[in-house]
Amino acid sequence: MLVIVLENAPPRLRGRLAIWLLEIRAGVYVGNYSRKVRDYLWAQVQEGIEDGNAVLVWRTNNEAGFEFETLGKNRRMPTDWDGVRLVSFLPPDTPESGHDP
């Protein structure tokens, strides 16, 4: 199982993902593919995201049962805590968050 969530993505990228995955909500795509196809789809997202942002989540054999990657500016940033990946929030006025002070 894999899930890709896009925000502020160009329509051509959304259309490209809709060929491979089911868009269950605006910008939320789900499917069940191999690692090779998942890597191909994420490369398409990396190429086409422009000023938007994205997250890819997939099922894996670890303690959490899933892994994820992010792309683009967003207040939610992946953080490693003793080998467990969590999400931390940046303050809204930092340049990394994509918000102006």
Side-chain angles (χ1 to χ4, degrees):
M1 172 68 99
L2 70 93
V3 177
I4 298 176
V5 179
L6 304 178
E7 291 181 332
N8 302 320
R12 68 180 170 278
L13 175 58
R14 294 181 63 186
R16 188 173 299 154
L17 289 180
I19 293 170
W20 290 85
L21 304 166
L22 178 62
E23 187 174 15
I24 60 172
R25 288 267 208 245
V28 180
Y29 300 85
V30 297
N32 192 18
Y33 289 103
S34 67
R35 178 180 181 169
K36 184 176 181 177
V37 174
R38 182 183 74 225
D39 291 345
Y40 169 78
L41 293 172
W42 191 239
Q44 297 297 306
V45 172
Q46 290 172 320
E47 279 182 29
I49 196 65
E50 294 180 3
D51 293 328
N53 64 70
V55 64
L56 166 67
V57 182
W58 67 95
R59 187 174 161 173
T60 190
N61 190 18
N62 64 15
E63 289 186 19
F66 65 91
E67 188 60 68
F68 67 96
E69 292 292 327
T70 63
L71 179 65
K73 292 182 181 181
N74 193 300
R75 286 188 55 214
R76 293 171 177 86
M77 300 302 296
T79 306
D80 187 287
W81 280 68
D82 293 329
V84 177
R85 292 195 55 194
L86 301 173
V87 176
S88 63
F89 289 84
L90 296 173
D93 59 344
T94 63
E96 293 85 21
S97 68
H99 296 75
D100 293 331

